[in-house]
C-alpha cells in the first residue's frame, strides 16, 4: 500500500489502465477466445452428426424399401432346409469337396467349416446366396492354407427370409 501511495496520481492512473488492459487481454486470450473456439468446434461437430443422422435415416428408409422389393424376388427353395441348400449350392459352385462340417446355429442359422477352398469362388458363392435366396453371412473368418488363393473358412449363414 505504501508503494502505491508513493506514486503520483498520474502514475496510479497509468498503472490502473495497464492493469485493466492486462486483465482484459488475459480474459480475452485466456478464457473468452478459447471458449468461443471450443463452442465453434462443438457446433461444427454437432452439425456433422446431424447430417450423419439425416443420411442414416434416409438410408434406413431406402433399405426398408429395398427389403420390401426384394422380399418376393428370391428363388423358391421349396421345403429344402438351409443346410441342404447350402450344401447343394456349394457343390454346384465347386466348393462341395471343401465342406468339412455343417451344423444348425440358432433358429435360422447354419455354420459351415470349409477347408482348402478357393477364396474367389467362395466369395462369389456367398454373394449368390444372398442375392438369390436372401441368405446372409453373419460371421465369417478365413485363413490362408499357404497355397495361392486357397483358404480354410468358417461361415455362419442366416436365412433372412425365415425371419420375415
Amino acid at each position: 500500500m505504501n508503494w502505491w501511495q508513493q506514486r503520483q496520481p498520474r502514475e496510479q492512473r497509468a498503472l490502473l489502465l495497464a492493469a485493466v488492459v492486462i486483465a482484459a487481454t488475459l480474459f480475452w486470450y485466456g478464457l473468452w477466445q478459447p471458449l468461443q473456439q471450443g463452442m465453434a468446434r462443438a457446433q461444427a461437430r454437432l452439425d456433422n452428426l446431424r447430417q450423419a443422422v439425416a443420411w442414416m435415416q434416409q438410408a434406413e428408409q431406402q433399405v426398408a424399401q429395398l427389403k420390401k422389393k426384394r422380399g418376393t424376388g428370391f428363388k423358391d427353395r421349396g421345403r429344402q432346409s438351409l443346410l441342404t441348400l447350402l450344401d447343394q449350392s456349394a457343390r454346384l459352385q465347386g466348393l462341395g469337396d471343401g465342406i468339412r462340417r455343417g451344423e444348425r446355429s440358432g433358429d435360422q442359422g447354419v455354420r459351415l467349416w470349409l477347408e482348402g477352398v478357393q477364396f474367389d469362388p467362395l466369395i462369389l458363392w456367398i454373394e449368390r446366396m444372398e442375392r438369390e435366396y436372401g441368405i446372409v453371412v453373419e460371421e465369417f473368418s478365413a485363413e490362408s492354407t499357404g497355397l495361392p488363393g486357397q483358404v480354410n473358412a468358417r461361415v455362419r449363414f442366416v436365412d433372412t427370409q425365415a425371419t420375415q
Side-chain angles (χ1 to χ4, degrees):
M1 219 21 159
N2 273 343
W3 179 85
W4 178 257
Q5 290 175 353
Q6 291 175 356
R7 304 287 140 225
Q8 296 293 327
R10 185 176 171 178
E11 286 179 299
Q12 288 178 351
R13 282 191 301 270
L15 288 171
L16 279 174
L17 181 62
V20 167
V21 168
I22 290 171
T25 302
L26 287 174
F27 173 76
W28 179 262
Y29 288 106
L31 185 63
W32 185 258
Q33 191 177 28
L35 182 63
Q36 291 298 317
Q37 289 172 344
M39 287 175 52
R41 283 191 303 270
Q43 184 64 44
R45 274 184 283 176
L46 180 61
D47 291 343
N48 287 341
L49 289 172
R50 284 183 176 149
Q51 289 174 354
V53 167
W55 178 85
M56 285 184 216
Q57 288 170 338
Q58 182 182 13
E60 179 184 34
Q61 291 171 355
Q62 290 174 344
V63 166
Q65 290 171 353
L66 287 173
K67 281 185 176 181
K68 286 180 186 176
K69 288 180 185 177
R70 280 181 38 178
T72 59
F74 293 122
K75 288 184 178 179
D76 181 26
R77 66 178 201 229
R79 299 180 58 87
Q80 197 173 34
S81 75
L82 179 57
L83 186 56
T84 303
L85 174 67
L86 289 169
D87 182 63
Q88 288 178 353
S89 64
R91 291 186 190 290
L92 289 173
Q93 190 74 31
L95 302 169
D97 292 339
I99 296 177
R100 293 296 174 252
R101 186 171 155 204
E103 65 183 28
R104 291 183 53 88
S105 176
D107 291 339
Q108 287 89 24
V110 166
R111 189 176 313 271
L112 291 180
W113 285 261
L114 298 105
E115 292 181 4
V117 296
Q118 290 296 314
F119 184 77
D120 290 345
L122 173 64
I123 297 303
L124 291 173
W125 172 62
I126 288 171
E127 188 274 332
R128 181 174 160 244
M129 296 310 296
E130 180 175 357
R131 181 175 27 88
E132 293 182 8
Y133 296 100
I135 297 167
V136 297
V137 171
E138 191 171 80
E139 296 173 19
F140 177 86
S141 67
E143 57 188 35
S144 174
T145 62
L147 297 173
Q150 199 175 72
V151 296
N152 294 331
R154 286 173 298 288
V155 188
R156 182 173 187 275
F157 292 93
V158 175
D159 187 357
T160 61
Q161 295 305 296
T163 60
Q164 293 181 356

